[in-house]
Amino acid sequence: AQSVAQPEDQVNVAEGNPLTVKCTYSVSGNPYLFWYVQYPNRGLQFLLKYITGDNLVKGSYGFEAEFNKSQTSFHLKKPSALVSDSALYFCAVRSLLTGKLSFGAGTTVTVRA
Amino acid sequence: EPEVTQTPSHQVTQMGQEVILRCVPISNHLYFYWYRQILGQKVEFLVSFYNNEISEKSEIFDDQFSVERPDGSNFTLKIRSTKLEDSAMYFCASRAQGSGANVLTFGAGSRLTVL
């Protein structure tokens, strides 16, 4: 079975500081990894994905993620956080067979002004 | 930008009642999904649907749940006899087929409250 884990329930940073949201994965074979963001009372919005290729993936809103095979990690990063980045972030892994996404538990990011 | 549309945005129902949640996927998408999120918790997979049949379902998706694509545009989730623990946000998602098809696009969700 494939899964992802988000070890932190909450991440708090000051505006302008770097933001990192951690994710580790457990899959057999090559992983297809995703990050989604959920703003309050909204649906899930796609941020970025890793399928193959460069380990550093760039996505929406200035976010990027680094795929690290040796550490089985796919951490989400933003060099300079904004208050508007405050949201719930989900890491997910995709089944190659069905396309089903399996989500991590989510990390609540709070960026203070 | 194309989007997945879900109705109703919020439904309140009595325990034991039937509920139908509706979704209009993106028009050229071929794979459809339902997920649910109990308040403040993890997003859980319910079911995936392709070529007019269920391709995968979770243990949550028991006999009380069913899905249907009745008219080629709508994709519905029916809960036959709701329980208190069915209270959650239900998300529909769809994706296309092909090499660029790995991204699931989610709707804004339907909040179900069972009293």
Side-chain angles (χ1 to χ4, degrees), chain B residues 55-69:
Chain B
S55 48
E56 187 175 355
K57 61 183 180 180
S58 71
E59 60 276 7
I60 302 169
F61 195 88
D62 61 20
D63 291 345
Q64 292 301 310
F65 290 88
S66 62
V67 289
E68 197 176 36
R69 189 159 160 78

Side-chain angles (χ1 to χ4, degrees), chain A residues 32 34 36 38 41-44 46 49 51 88 90 94 98-101 103-105, chain B residues 31 33 35 37 41-43 45 48 55-56 91 95 100 102-104 106-108 111:
Chain A
Y32 285 11
F34 298 78
Y36 281 79
Q38 184 181 29
N41 301 312
R42 302 284 294 277
L44 296 159
F46 169 74
K49 65 181 179 182
I51 306 298
L88 183 54
F90 290 99
R94 182 195 160 206
T98 65
K100 171 187 111 176
L101 283 177
F103 288 88
Chain B
Y31 297 82
Y33 305 83
Y35 286 79
Q37 183 184 32
Q41 296 186 25
K42 188 176 180 176
V43 178
F45 169 75
S48 58
S55 48
E56 187 175 355
F91 292 106
R95 72 177 175 98
N102 296 310
V103 176
L104 271 68
F106 285 82
R111 180 172 299 283

Side-chain angles (χ1 to χ4, degrees), chain B residues 72-106:
Chain B
S73 63
N74 290 286
F75 178 53
T76 62
L77 174 69
K78 181 193 289 186
I79 309 174
R80 229 175 305 277
S81 176
T82 50
K83 303 186 285 287
L84 295 176
E85 54 265 37
D86 294 327
S87 295
M89 182 74 92
Y90 289 81
F91 292 106
C92 174
S94 69
R95 72 177 175 98
Q97 191 170 28
S99 60
N102 296 310
V103 176
L104 271 68
T105 301
F106 285 82

